[in-house]
């Protein structure tokens, strides 16, 4: 099972409830592995965020999976790239590189959060290089949790205002970036989140039909509610919605 972009945030109990319901249903649906492709959290200011509150509740839900034999893997999103071994290790969660190749349910995939493919968003990519720098992260993490939460809130506001001045195409994946990644991984299907534009795309690359699948973001309170993800089963990918799992 592949999910992303849940954007779990304190005080948004419906999102957390939807996530916990999904986690609790995995064993009954014989899911062998859960891949979370980033932005599980709206903002993750460091692993001490897992010591209490929302972070602890999410950790508690995820901690039930390893003992049930369900492998959990995580690729960092642009909201939770500071999620590290201190949080993931005790839960048995593997943190994977971006991109990563896997074969799951008989499907050969290349997985990414998706933000790396948005190469037209020059301002974002410059910001990304800065905050992914280990020295920058060490300085950031040396501050108190309260101070880091305040910086994260400030960055969120800056991001929203920056986005309001960007054309929608700039915030989607770049066609050449997609083609390059697919060319490096012949026969694999590309699966990512981040753009919140769930769809199955077909493209012709060197005369070969290739696929790119985009995961949905989650908002159980939206009309219609958004959420769910993609299952890899018996050599095929199958999308599922928030309420659709029971029909599979
Ligand atoms: O997140 P979303 O969907 O709104 O927009 C993203 C890009 N924005 C971001 C920024 C995050 O939203 C900020 C919150 C991160 C919380 C992390 C937790 C704590 C870590 C704190 C350290 C970082 O990722 C947005 C893209 C959009 O996706 C579509 O792809 O366009 O990019 C931007 O808006 C970036 C701006 O264009 C430029 C950056 C402005 C901020 C400048 C601060 C510089 C350095 C940081 C110093 C503290
Ligand atoms: Mn994202």
């Amino acid at each position: 099972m592949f999910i992303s972009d849940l954007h779990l945030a304190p005080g948004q109990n419906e999102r957390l409830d939807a996530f916990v319901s999904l986690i609790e249903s995995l064993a009954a649906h014989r899911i062998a592995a859960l891949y979370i492709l980033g932005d599980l959290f709206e903002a993750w200011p460091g692993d001490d965020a897992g010591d209490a509150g929302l972070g602890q509740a999410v950790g508690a839900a995820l901690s039930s999976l390893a003992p049930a034999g369900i492998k959990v893997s995580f690729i960092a999103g642009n909201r939770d790239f500071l999620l590290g071994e201190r949080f993931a290790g005790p839960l048995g969660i593997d943190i994977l590189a971006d991109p990563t190749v896997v074969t799951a349910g008989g499907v050969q995939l290349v997985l990414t959060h998706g933000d790396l493919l948005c190469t037209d968003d020059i301002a974002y990519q410059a910001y990304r290089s800065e905050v992914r720098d280990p020295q920058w992260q060490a300085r950031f993490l040396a501050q108190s949790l309260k101070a880091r939460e305040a910086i994260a809130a400030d960055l969120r506001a800056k991001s929203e205002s920056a986005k309001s001045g960007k054309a929608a195409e700039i915030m989607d994946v770049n066609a050449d970036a997609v083609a390059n990644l697919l060319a490096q991984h012949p026969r694999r299907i590309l699966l990512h989140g981040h753009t919140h534009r769930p769809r199955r795309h077909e493209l012709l690359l060197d005369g070969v039909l290739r696929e790119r699948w985009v995961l949905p973001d989650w908002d159980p309170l939206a009309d219609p509610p958004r959420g769910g993800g993609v299952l890899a089963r018996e050599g095929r990918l199958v999308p599922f919605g928030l309420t659709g799992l029971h029909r599979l």
Side-chain angles (χ1 to χ4, degrees), residues 1-245:
M1 175 179 287
F2 301 86
I3 56 174
S4 72
D5 300 281
L6 290 91
H7 293 273
L8 300 175
Q12 300 203 1
N13 294 333
E14 294 79 7
R15 272 176 213 257
L16 179 62
D17 291 349
F19 173 68
V20 172
S21 304
L22 182 82
I23 296 296
E24 287 174 348
S25 73
L26 295 186
H29 289 101
R30 302 183 321 278
I31 302 297
L34 174 68
Y35 292 85
I36 304 172
L37 302 191
D39 291 358
L40 172 61
F41 294 99
E42 173 79 349
W44 188 258
D47 281 349
D48 46 353
D51 295 344
L54 173 72
Q56 190 178 41
V58 172
L62 288 169
S63 70
S64 66
L65 295 179
I70 300 170
K71 177 80 214 140
V72 183
S73 306
F74 175 80
I75 291 182
N78 57 301
R79 306 298 193 87
D80 47 16
F81 58 88
L82 287 174
L83 196 154
E85 276 305 319
R86 183 183 153 214
F87 180 72
L91 301 172
I93 299 174
D94 267 358
I95 300 180
L96 307 178
D98 186 351
T100 282
V101 297
V102 297
T103 299
V107 185
Q108 290 186 288
L109 292 155
V110 52
L111 309 174
T112 170
H113 176 58
D115 56 327
L116 274 172
L117 299 171
C118 300
T119 53
D120 294 327
D121 196 339
I122 309 286
Y124 170 66
Q125 295 299 340
Y127 155 86
R128 186 184 192 278
S129 312
E130 190 169 353
V131 299
R132 298 295 178 112
D133 174 56
Q135 282 184 12
W136 188 94
Q137 293 188 358
R139 278 200 304 278
F140 179 78
L141 290 170
Q143 303 179 63
S144 71
L145 179 58
K146 215 169 161 195
R148 281 175 278 135
E149 283 170 344
I151 294 172
D154 180 53
L155 277 170
R156 286 292 308 119
K158 284 194 168 75
S159 179
E160 286 306 316
S161 112
K163 285 195 300 183
S164 68
K166 291 179 192 177
E169 309 85 72
I170 283 180
M171 293 187 280
D172 202 351
V173 298
N174 170 282
D176 290 338
V178 168
N180 284 337
L181 185 58
L182 283 170
Q184 286 168 42
H185 301 287
R187 288 177 299 282
R188 289 189 181 270
I189 294 175
L190 172 57
L191 175 61
H192 69 84
H194 181 65
T195 61
H196 303 187
R197 302 178 200 208
R199 226 194 98 178
R200 169 182 175 271
H201 298 262
E202 289 185 347
L203 55 151
L204 206 56
L205 250 188
D206 297 327
V208 180
L209 192 66
R210 306 294 302 271
E211 285 177 53
R212 171 170 74 94
W213 289 61
V214 187
L215 293 165
D217 70 314
W218 288 46
D219 187 354
L221 292 183
D223 185 18
R226 298 196 304 275
V230 164
L231 279 184
R233 189 164 263 181
E234 292 164 12
R236 294 194 318 126
L237 291 183
V238 189
F240 67 93
L242 266 190
T243 54
L245 239 201

